[in-house]
């Protein structure tokens, strides 16, 4: 009598890399000065620069990550509105 063949264990699941919460500032170009905070209770995401004190707040959803709060799109929108008005 022989042993029954056992099934091979499935390979372990790969972990996703964590996304950054610190970015470079588009205004003062200082690296790693913008810190993003997410308040899930109030559904508000805030990005603020520690060097030039610029800040940006936006509404978030339950699926939002710190990289979603980044204000690059908002900066471009404001700059195009300023260029059109001048």
């Amino acid at each position: 009598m022989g042993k029954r063949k056992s099934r091979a264990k499935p390979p372990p699941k790969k972990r996703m890399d964590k996304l950054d919460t610190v970015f470079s500032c588009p205004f003062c170009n200082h690296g790693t000065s913008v810190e993003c905070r997410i308040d899930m209770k109030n559904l508000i995401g805030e990005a603020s620069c520690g060097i030039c004190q610029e800040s940006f707040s936006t509404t978030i959803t339950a699926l939002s990550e710190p990289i979603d709060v980044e204000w690059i799109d908002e900066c471009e929108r404001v700059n195009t509105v300023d260029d059109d008005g001048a």
Side-chain angles (χ1 to χ4, degrees):
M1 294 268 155
K3 284 185 165 183
R4 290 187 179 197
K5 291 185 178 181
S6 63
R7 292 182 66 183
K9 289 185 180 180
K13 293 185 178 180
K14 293 182 181 178
R15 293 185 182 182
M16 287 182 51
D17 294 335
K18 294 213 177 213
L19 297 174
D20 291 337
T21 58
V22 179
F23 306 98
S24 61
C25 181
F27 298 107
C28 65
N29 292 326
H30 194 272
T32 66
S33 64
V34 176
E35 183 179 350
C36 294
R37 288 183 293 276
I38 293 184
D39 185 6
M40 285 297 194
K41 185 176 180 182
N42 297 325
L43 296 177
I44 295 175
E46 181 183 11
S48 59
C49 178
I51 305 298
C52 65
Q53 305 302 321
E54 285 288 332
S55 65
F56 173 71
S57 296
T58 185
T59 57
I60 59 170
T61 64
L63 300 176
S64 295
E65 293 289 331
I67 198 163
D68 298 329
V69 181
E70 187 64 36
W71 61 34
I72 301 297
D73 296 332
E74 185 69 18
C75 293
E76 290 176 358
R77 186 185 65 79
V78 168
N79 287 338
T80 57
V81 169
D82 289 343
D83 291 342
D84 293 341

